[in-house]
């Protein structure tokens, strides 16, 4: 079975992220912080990953959020924002992505994510459903949510 690890915020993690396709702003700002010596090795990190031997082959970020007037989960309900889920191409379809999502679900909070166009089926298999959301005034179904305890969120579902 694959083991999900809480990744540390350090130079090793930043180096490991460089082979992922989405090496983005979040990681770059992490690097800047490191260079400014602002973040210690044991600081709380939003990143989780799976190693195959010594190699980081899958990762995601999980941010705990809480807002007033959240249209999907209700006011002041804590939820997780799952982003940057990525499994290296040669390790895809072996259950690693599922292992990370299962881990996120095990934390017991509602989850929100923006599905990539090609990954919608993956999220649906994990019980996520699309909710209404607009980009530039146009309806968009890429925002997907998951609710604990088998709730179905009829209020927010779109077809
Ligand atoms: C999408 C992704 C995270 C899935 O991870 P994975 O480890 O390859 O997926 P798993 O092996 O856990 O697959 C679980 C199920 O989803 C299906 N699945 C996986 N990727 C899929 C995809 N892109 N489209 C449709 N179904 C997919 C699998 O066939 C499997 O179904 P099964 O249980 O009926 O056999 C991974 O393929 C990836 O990183 N893709 C590129 C980046 C991306 O699209 N990230 C999504 C975040 S927006």
């Amino acid at each position: 079975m694959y083991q999900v690890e809480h990744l540390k915020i350090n130079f090793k993690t930043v180096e490991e992220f460089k082979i992922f396709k989405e090496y983005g702003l979040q990681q770059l700002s992490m690097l800047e912080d490191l260079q400014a010596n602002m973040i210690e090795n044991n600081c709380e990190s939003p990143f989780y990953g799976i190693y195959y031997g010594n190699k980081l082959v899958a990762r995601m970020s999980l941010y705990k959020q809480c807002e007033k007037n959240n249209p999907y989960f209700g006011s002041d309900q804590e939820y997780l924002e799952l982003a940057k889920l990525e499994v290296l191409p040669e390790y895809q379809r072996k259950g690693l992505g599922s292992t990370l999502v299962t881990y996120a679900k095990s934390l017991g909070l509602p989850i929100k994510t923006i599905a990539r166009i090609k990954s919608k089926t993956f999220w649906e298999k994990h019980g996520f459903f699309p909710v209404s959301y607009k980009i530039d005034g146009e309806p968009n179904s890429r925002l997907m949510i998951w609710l604990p305890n088998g709730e179905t969120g009829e209020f927010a579902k779109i077809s």
Side-chain angles (χ1 to χ4, degrees):
M1 234 8 317
Y2 305 112
Q3 198 180 328
V4 176
E5 305 208 12
H6 197 175
L7 303 178
K8 288 184 172 148
I9 294 186
N10 59 21
F11 282 109
K12 178 172 172 278
T13 301
V14 175
E15 276 306 312
E16 287 167 340
F17 281 168
K18 285 183 180 167
I19 51 170
F20 285 80
K21 209 162 61 189
E22 263 207 58
Y23 181 69
L25 284 177
Q26 213 169 47
Q27 288 99 323
L28 290 174
S29 70
M30 192 161 119
L31 187 58
E32 273 170 25
D33 284 348
L34 281 166
Q35 279 160 349
N37 273 329
M38 285 165 63
I39 291 182
E40 298 295 328
N41 198 21
N42 58 2
C43 179
E44 183 73 9
S45 152
F47 289 103
Y48 296 81
I50 298 174
Y51 285 88
Y52 195 88
N54 288 330
K55 186 175 178 186
L56 183 68
V57 295
R59 60 96 197 249
M60 70 174 168
S61 67
L62 277 182
Y63 284 96
K64 204 183 263 187
Q65 311 277 19
C66 189
E67 295 151 15
K68 290 242 174 276
N69 306 319
N70 183 297
Y72 312 112
F73 310 124
S75 256
D76 295 331
Q77 167 65 53
E78 282 192 327
Y79 66 94
L80 294 171
E81 193 163 314
L82 193 165
K84 300 211 176 288
L85 175 67
E86 193 175 328
V87 179
L88 294 181
E90 57 275 40
Y91 297 89
Q92 288 177 10
R93 309 276 175 142
K94 297 180 196 299
L96 281 87
S98 298
T99 303
L100 285 170
V101 173
T102 302
Y103 177 84
K105 286 175 167 181
S106 75
L107 301 174
L109 291 173
I111 305 174
K112 170 176 141 182
T113 194
I114 306 276
R116 290 211 186 147
I117 290 159
K118 287 191 189 153
S119 69
K120 203 167 162 195
T121 317
F122 170 81
W123 294 108
E124 283 169 349
K125 282 189 172 165
H126 285 286
F128 283 67
F129 52 86
V131 290
S132 61
Y133 164 61
K134 287 188 175 175
I135 293 181
D136 296 333
E138 293 296 315
N140 187 297
S141 62
R142 289 171 55 213
L143 177 63
M144 300 188 81
I145 67 174
W146 174 84
L147 300 170
N149 309 321
E151 290 170 55
T152 54
E154 290 300 333
F155 64 95
K157 230 176 211 173
I158 58 168
S159 54

